Amino acid sequence: MSAPAQSKSLKAIGEDTWKNKTEKVNAELFTLTYGAIVSQLCADYDRDFQKVNNHLFSMGYNIGVRLVEDFLARTALPRCENMVKTSEMISKCAFKIFLNMTPQVTNWSSEKDAFSLMLDENPLSDFVELPMDAMKQLWYSNVLSGVLKGALEMVQLDCDVWFVSDILKGDPQTELRIKLNKVLKDEVPIGED
Amino acid sequence: MAIYSFWIFDKHCNCIFDREWTLISNSASGTINSKQTEETAKLLYGMIYSLRSVTQKLSKDDTANDVRSISIGKYRIHTYCTASGLWFVLLSDYKQPSYSHVLRYIHSHIYVKYVTHNILSPYDFAENENETRGQGFRKISNRNFISAVEAFLGPMIAQ
């Protein structure tokens, strides 16, 4: 199969799964629930936004390690052989199925091991305006980087995931960066190597 | 069609669930998560593992080339492997060539529902380094999971 044909079928898988195999919930309810979590965390940590970022990340990680199984069960997709394929699966299938959006993949590194996702229509941050003190440090949607980190780790891709910019902070766009550290080796039973 | 046993292996090469039926007349007979089948589980894992590495080496291009079933003199082994490293394995007689839809159903409607979505159940059955690489002993002991598997596979035992 040629590359364009494959990417088209990934898109079709994403759309089909979203349409037929996914129960829908009200997006506003989701947005507001997430907002309540973030504001509670800010209160709990006394507006120490570094800690809030870390906590959101670890919450996301714990979601991601389980969510990936749900994703694979819905789509039955095999492992990706390279990061280009991975990026397409994330944007066209995973984001489509769980958040009904298709972020653009850009800013490839020269070794093709790092890319950025442009989250134009991030449903987590609808209706959100950060207060002045939070604007400098808080990565409001940091749960997403944790989810991606956890999910990718479960398919043996050790990645770093972080936000580069966020509309909420006054940047022109929201950019989420994913960088592959290494492909983890599958375990072999003792005595096999 | 008749099925003889059902197994789940995780990415740490451990058997995390096994169910063996002994009497085809009685769907409640046999063992669940038994210590006695430990050796059988290791042998089964080893056989599938070896065949998978052979097929991956024989693959002409990069795309995934996976073992779906293995037919042996008296029975057939069906496998369904997920990208996250879970293996669902079913032993059956020769009457039906493929059980992949059955295994996929168990993964997507039973495993995900009762194990992955269950926050009280671990998502990884190896708790430390000493339980990886086939040395683990933890099993899925979740009641809802076991009864859902029984209810789903029970009717296929003696058909």
Side-chain angles (χ1 to χ4, degrees):
Chain A
M1 234 193 287
S2 66
Q6 246 175 5
S7 66
K8 196 182 163 213
S9 79
L10 274 182
K11 192 168 175 243
I13 291 172
E15 273 168 11
D16 180 59
T17 314
W18 164 253
K19 254 191 210 139
N20 303 320
K21 292 191 200 155
T22 310
E23 284 173 49
K24 316 290 186 293
V25 295
N26 188 320
E28 290 177 12
L29 179 68
F30 173 68
T31 308
L32 295 177
T33 310
Y34 185 68
I37 291 173
V38 178
S39 84
Q40 185 64 48
L41 281 177
C42 291
D44 287 352
Y45 283 117
D46 248 349
R47 305 190 84 71
D48 182 340
F49 297 112
Q50 208 49 55
K51 281 188 186 158
V52 176
N53 288 342
N54 293 342
H55 197 90
L56 284 173
F57 187 87
S58 80
M59 281 168 73
Y61 181 88
N62 289 326
I63 296 171
V65 293
R66 287 178 186 265
L67 200 63
V68 71
E69 205 61 60
D70 187 312
F71 174 71
L72 295 171
R74 279 177 215 253
T75 56
L77 286 165
R79 282 206 183 146
C80 302
E81 55 270 25
N82 54 44
M83 281 310 270
V84 177
K85 197 81 189 286
T86 309
S87 72
E88 284 180 4
M89 276 201 190
I90 292 173
S91 73
K92 291 182 185 145
C93 293
F95 269 92
K96 177 74 193 169
I97 291 168
F98 292 115
L99 293 172
N100 190 25
M101 60 194 268
T102 314
Q104 227 191 325
V105 181
T106 51
N107 293 352
W108 279 98
S109 66
S110 51
E111 294 92 38
K112 293 265 178 206
D113 64 346
F115 59 90
S116 292
L117 292 170
M118 296 300 178
L119 310 173
D120 298 329
E121 18 160 16
N122 179 5
L124 289 180
S125 57
D126 278 349
F127 326 121
V128 176
E129 265 179 62
L130 292 182
M132 283 306 277
D133 61 338
M135 252 174 115
K136 280 187 218 104
Q137 292 176 49
L138 179 67
W139 292 110
Y140 185 81
S141 309
N142 212 29
V143 75
L144 284 182
S145 24
V147 170
L148 283 166
K149 161 92 184 163
L152 288 168
E153 201 170 296
M154 289 298 113
V155 287
Q156 306 292 57
L157 297 171
D158 177 15
C159 295
D160 280 333
V161 187
W162 70 97
F163 273 96
V164 178
S165 60
D166 192 339
I167 291 178
L168 294 181
K169 293 186 154 202
D171 299 315
Q173 58 209 348
T174 305
E175 178 178 351
L176 182 59
R177 187 110 185 118
I178 299 172
K179 183 182 180 299
L180 177 72
N181 290 331
K182 67 168 184 225
V183 180
L184 301 170
K185 278 219 167 65
D186 279 330
E187 279 176 33
V188 296
I190 267 192
E192 281 282 338
D193 45 352
Chain B
M1 62 180 188
I3 55 174
Y4 304 133
S5 61
F6 170 63
W7 313 73
I8 303 176
F9 297 93
D10 71 357
K11 63 172 174 180
H12 302 294
C13 322
N14 295 324
C15 175
I16 53 169
F17 184 75
D18 64 80
R19 175 74 175 99
E20 201 163 24
W21 291 275
T22 38
L23 302 168
I24 55 164
S25 54
N26 179 1
S27 66
S29 67
T31 56
I32 301 180
N33 289 340
S34 162
K35 266 258 175 252
Q36 293 161 9
T37 53
E38 221 171 60
E39 278 307 303
T40 320
K42 286 211 162 82
L43 291 170
L44 189 61
Y45 185 91
M47 173 160 68
I48 300 169
Y49 177 87
S50 315
L51 275 173
R52 285 193 88 201
S53 45
V54 170
T55 49
Q56 267 148 25
K57 277 177 196 137
L58 290 177
S59 166
K60 286 219 172 75
D61 50 24
D62 292 346
T63 50
N65 188 17
D66 220 338
V67 176
R68 295 211 184 116
S69 73
I70 307 163
S71 302
I72 310 164
K74 289 190 170 147
Y75 55 92
R76 214 194 285 267
I77 302 172
H78 307 267
T79 63
Y80 177 77
C81 305
T82 71
S84 54
L86 287 169
W87 298 7
F88 294 80
V89 178
L90 190 77
L91 269 62
S92 76
D93 63 7
Y94 271 115
K95 284 183 202 137
Q96 196 172 323
S98 170
Y99 275 94
S100 49
H101 59 289
V102 167
L103 293 172
R104 189 174 168 190
Y105 182 90
I106 293 175
H107 176 230
S108 61
H109 288 82
I110 301 179
Y111 184 88
V112 166
K113 187 169 173 194
Y114 295 115
V115 178
T116 313
H117 284 178
N118 178 358
I119 204 78
L120 296 175
S121 165
Y123 67 90
D124 188 339
F125 284 82
E127 283 189 354
N128 54 52
E129 281 286 301
N130 297 328
E131 294 172 15
T132 58
R133 301 192 64 192
Q135 305 171 95
F137 53 87
R138 282 170 219 283
K139 305 269 185 181
I140 305 177
S141 52
N142 180 335
R143 248 186 311 129
N144 289 332
F145 176 80
I146 293 174
S147 58
V149 169
E150 292 289 299
F152 180 60
L153 290 180
M156 291 179 214
I157 295 162
Q159 269 175 15

